[in-house]
Amino acid sequence: MPPHKPNVLSAFVGKITRGFAIDSFRKKYAAKRGGLLHREDVCSEMDELKFSYTVDEQMAEKELVGVIERFLLKLREADRDIFIRRYWYLDPIKEIAKRHGVTEGCVKTNLCRNRKKLYRMLKQEVLI
Amino acid sequence: MKKEFDFSKEFGEIDEKLVENAGKEWTRKKHYVFQRYSRKIAGIAILVIFFIAAASNSNVQAAVKEFTTKIGEALGFTKDLSPYTKMINQTLTKNGISLTLKEVILDDRILAVAVHADFGEGKEGTLWVNDEKTLIDGQWHMAYESMQSAGIDTDIFKPERDTVLIQIYEDQLLPDGDVNVHLVLEGVKLIDLGDAVALPEEYDKESVEFVYDFVITPEELKAKTVKKELDVTVGVSGTEKKKLTLKELAMNDLYCRIVAEGVTWDDDWPNQYDLKLKGTDNLGNPVSLEGGRFLSENEMLFTTDFLGDYETGVAIEDDKVQMSVPDKDCDYLDLQLYERKIIWDGAEEILDEEEGIYGQESGDAWEMYAEEENYGWEPVGKPFRVMITHTGRAAKETPAPFDLYSSYAPGEEIPKEDDLITEDAQDGSHTG
């Protein structure tokens, strides 16, 4: 258990599971560079949001998370759910599409647009 | 020393409440957002956050800046929007948040409001339009897009600032004359953590509603909206389906929209590529219309973006902020259709010899879209001209030869004017 009691136990348990899933997937991905598991796509998408910044421009980790949270708050409820289901729960596109009753293309487009917005927001907050 | 921002790691640290909510069965607004619009809008509601200072396009022309409205100033419009703007200037204060509704612009497609927000000394905050409670002419409308801008030089979350909120509608048809608006804005203070700010854990319960009731007449803007029927086929035919027929044009001082047919919302092309129409009008104004939205299964919408035609990654100077909207009184538009591989699908394909299958190796997609590569935009087919004949106006002299250079990627051969497709708009008229 963490040093402080988590506010929502299910989220905490999910966080551990998610971290393990990503780590284990990344190791497999790095070793084999192949496979068509949906998590490969998820990681590839998340890697689009990677960028480097210097120590002088460094933002505290908490603050970076704050930027992401503010971005999420600004999203419409459905968009927020799609974004979190994809990048926190690592759901396949197909399952998210089914959950929201839309096509997979719809979900992909939605995620793509919102990734771009988050990237722009992160870059501005960190580098400017 | 360089540090790497690892999204997958940071995203794992987001507020547990957000995660918990997404962990529940999805029910809220599902019916309205998706089923209600499934017939009219094939896309899903998208909220766009604007940070104008973060993006740039080197082709943006300097604009004369004599703004008389906050909305025009924040979004970089060159035209005076005051004829369409209702001045409200009503201040409401609740729970330490003071909100002044300054200006409103309304027509069938947009609701734009300029507000001055004060979240209290040192308190950052955020604002949004409550779609579910806002009524226009007594009707509830779900916005297709919601946008927010704090202008060219202000922080969108800072404690005290002017902010413009824009809602885009696709299902609205306002009557002539006065329209009653019941506008509900919501605001919430962010929690100061010392070196960071965060959302309140129960932000949805802690947000404060600000209700404004007023009457506005959208007639002026509707009357100044030019609408045309088109029959212009653009793109290329081939094994891949990359051809569109432009069917309708609507433009005014705030936006320009073109409806195109020829692809459906589940075709690979619009799902794998960003599309846009770019060029100039005959007066030299930059024109850029983003595609990708579907009004129905086979009607794609190209529309000007309230962000302007800027690309990500380059700082923009304050005096360079300008909307890429044609002059509604122009005689023609010279446009080129462009496509750009969508980033999530832009990684390089590699062969896994061990498995004998193709996978994808992630690259830095943002670096792929460098300025010298025209940000990834590739022309599709030939450039074309859309003639616009305005009713009640004498025919003008033959327009000057095209200035097509801005429609082409650096280094690309520019075709002769004879090679261009030229089409006249049909039934030229102003709506009234």
Side-chain angles (χ1 to χ4, degrees):
Chain A
M1 292 294 286
H4 67 282
K5 183 183 175 184
N7 293 332
V8 184
L9 187 60
S10 62
F12 173 69
V13 174
K15 190 181 290 185
I16 294 173
T17 308
R18 178 183 175 281
F20 177 78
I22 290 178
D23 287 348
S24 100
F25 173 71
R26 282 191 184 284
K27 283 175 187 170
K28 182 180 178 184
Y29 180 72
K32 299 185 72 176
R33 287 188 161 196
L36 297 173
L37 294 170
H38 83 272
R39 280 182 182 156
E40 179 174 353
D41 294 330
V42 181
C43 289
S44 178
E45 290 168 22
M46 291 194 288
D47 283 347
E48 288 172 11
L49 290 160
K50 270 190 175 178
F51 59 88
S52 299
Y53 55 103
T54 64
V55 171
D56 287 343
E57 297 158 334
Q58 181 179 342
M59 179 178 271
E61 189 172 280
K62 272 187 180 177
E63 202 167 342
L64 281 169
V65 173
V67 174
I68 296 171
E69 289 178 346
R70 277 182 279 170
F71 162 78
L72 290 171
L73 176 65
K74 296 302 295 178
L75 292 178
R76 192 178 296 282
E77 190 175 354
D79 290 15
R80 188 186 311 130
D81 184 83
I82 289 170
F83 205 86
I84 295 173
R85 289 303 316 184
R86 181 64 171 166
Y87 301 122
W88 207 98
Y89 289 95
L90 308 177
D91 281 357
I93 297 286
K94 191 173 185 177
E95 283 186 15
I96 299 173
K98 186 178 177 184
R99 175 180 171 89
H100 285 270
V102 296
T103 66
E104 293 180 42
C106 230
V107 172
K108 286 177 180 175
T109 303
N110 179 272
L111 288 168
C112 178
R113 285 174 181 266
N114 285 325
R115 277 201 310 275
K116 289 179 185 176
K117 304 307 172 191
L118 175 58
Y119 183 84
R120 188 179 298 165
M121 185 172 173
L122 284 164
K123 291 281 279 188
Q124 188 195 34
E125 296 266 343
V126 173
L127 298 179
I128 294 178
Chain B
M1 178 183 162
K2 284 268 184 182
K3 287 208 70 175
E4 187 86 0
F5 171 72
D6 185 345
F7 172 73
S8 64
K9 176 176 174 290
E10 300 291 346
F11 201 70
E13 301 299 322
I14 62 170
D15 193 303
E16 291 164 356
K17 186 73 177 175
L18 291 166
V19 177
E20 185 193 17
N21 287 339
K24 296 172 184 171
E25 185 180 353
W26 175 255
T27 52
R28 294 182 65 187
K29 289 203 280 190
K30 176 180 176 182
H31 177 74
Y32 299 106
V33 174
F34 298 113
Q35 295 186 4
R36 173 186 163 90
Y37 281 83
S38 60
R39 292 178 187 173
K40 290 293 290 181
I41 303 174
I44 58 178
I46 297 164
L47 187 144
V48 182
I49 301 173
F50 281 177
F51 291 93
I52 288 176
S56 170
N57 182 300
S58 58
N59 291 330
V60 175
Q61 298 174 5
V64 178
K65 298 279 193 299
E66 292 184 5
F67 298 111
T68 55
T69 66
K70 286 289 177 187
I71 295 172
E73 181 182 0
L75 300 177
F77 283 97
T78 54
K79 287 289 187 76
D80 178 14
L81 304 183
S82 58
Y84 321 119
T85 305
K86 170 93 172 184
M87 300 296 178
I88 306 288
N89 290 319
Q90 181 185 355
T91 302
L92 299 174
T93 302
K94 285 183 179 178
N95 296 4
I97 302 174
S98 179
L99 209 60
T100 301
L101 177 62
K102 292 186 164 184
E103 303 168 359
V104 180
I105 296 176
L106 176 72
D107 82 345
D108 289 342
R109 293 288 162 259
I110 70 161
L111 168 67
V113 300
V115 298
H116 180 81
D118 185 351
F119 288 88
E121 191 175 353
K123 287 283 187 184
E124 291 189 90
T126 189
L127 291 169
W128 62 94
V129 175
N130 185 320
D131 269 336
E132 296 171 67
K133 294 182 179 177
T134 294
L135 301 175
I136 300 174
D137 194 34
Q139 301 292 312
W140 175 88
H141 298 276
M142 175 60 79
Y144 187 89
E145 286 189 17
S146 301
M147 308 173 194
Q148 183 177 0
S149 171
I152 55 177
D153 58 358
T154 53
D155 181 344
I156 206 162
F157 296 116
K158 79 176 189 180
E160 190 173 351
R161 83 282 182 173
D162 288 325
T163 298
V164 174
L165 303 168
I166 296 180
Q167 304 290 98
I168 305 292
Y169 302 109
E170 297 295 349
D171 67 338
Q172 188 166 252
L173 189 60
L174 298 174
D176 293 334
D178 290 345
V179 173
N180 291 308
V181 177
H182 177 76
L183 175 66
V184 180
L185 303 178
E186 283 195 58
V188 66
K189 292 180 182 179
L190 300 174
I191 298 171
D192 188 354
L193 300 175
D195 58 349
V197 290
L199 299 172
E201 189 165 319
E202 297 191 335
Y203 55 86
D204 49 344
K205 293 179 182 172
E206 293 185 27
S207 64
V208 183
E209 284 187 6
F210 298 86
V211 180
Y212 300 89
D213 286 285
F214 54 88
V215 175
I216 185 169
T217 304
E219 278 184 8
E220 182 74 11
L221 184 54
K222 290 177 73 173
K224 295 281 178 65
T225 299
V226 177
K227 291 186 177 179
K228 304 287 181 188
E229 289 183 9
L230 306 176
D231 188 14
V232 183
T233 300
V234 298
V236 292
S237 299
T239 52
E240 289 182 281
K241 193 177 181 183
K242 292 190 174 181
K243 193 167 73 174
L244 295 170
T245 302
L246 311 185
K247 303 297 289 185
E248 296 173 19
L249 165 74
M251 59 182 178
N252 58 31
D253 286 340
L254 280 97
Y255 56 79
C256 176
R257 299 157 56 92
I258 291 178
V259 177
E261 295 179 354
V263 291
T264 60
W265 66 314
D266 55 353
D267 283 343
D268 286 344
W269 189 29
N271 277 298
Q272 295 180 1
Y273 288 84
D274 290 325
L275 299 174
K276 76 173 175 179
L277 297 168
K278 186 176 178 180
T280 60
D281 66 14
N282 64 297
L283 303 174
N285 294 300
V287 180
S288 182
L289 300 99
E290 285 190 9
R293 287 194 216 164
F294 280 85
L295 299 177
S296 68
E297 283 192 6
N298 62 348
E299 288 181 307
M300 179 188 276
L301 177 67
F302 285 86
T303 184
T304 46
D305 192 325
F306 282 92
L307 180 59
D309 183 34
Y310 309 119
E311 301 290 350
T312 303
V314 183
I316 184 170
E317 296 171 29
D318 289 355
D319 64 354
K320 298 292 184 186
V321 173
Q322 184 183 358
M323 286 288 295
S324 292
V325 181
D327 190 310
K328 66 180 187 304
D329 297 319
C330 68
D331 293 323
Y332 58 85
L333 306 175
D334 285 336
L335 298 173
Q336 167 72 53
L337 175 64
Y338 286 87
E339 67 177 12
R340 178 172 69 181
K341 189 86 168 170
I342 290 176
I343 289 171
W344 52 262
D345 206 22
E348 183 184 354
E349 277 198 341
I350 58 166
L351 176 65
D352 184 325
E353 293 179 358
E354 186 180 330
E355 296 284 333
I357 53 175
Y358 280 94
Q360 287 192 333
E361 182 177 26
S362 176
D364 188 341
W366 295 91
E367 285 186 5
M368 285 168 54
Y369 296 156
E371 183 179 6
E372 57 268 26
E373 295 172 353
N374 199 28
Y375 300 100
W377 292 107
E378 298 284 346
V380 180
K382 295 180 177 179
F384 58 95
R385 174 172 289 181
V386 177
M387 300 300 297
I388 299 166
T389 308
H390 296 271
T391 302
R393 184 197 294 181
K396 290 193 172 181
E397 60 189 50
T398 304
F402 297 8
D403 175 12
L404 290 167
Y405 189 76
S406 62
S407 295
Y408 282 80
E412 187 179 352
E413 185 180 354
I414 300 172
K416 297 174 183 176
E417 188 167 345
D418 291 345
D419 294 334
L420 302 174
I421 304 165
T422 305
E423 295 285 348
D424 284 309
Q426 299 171 348
D427 301 327
S429 63
H430 283 86
T431 60

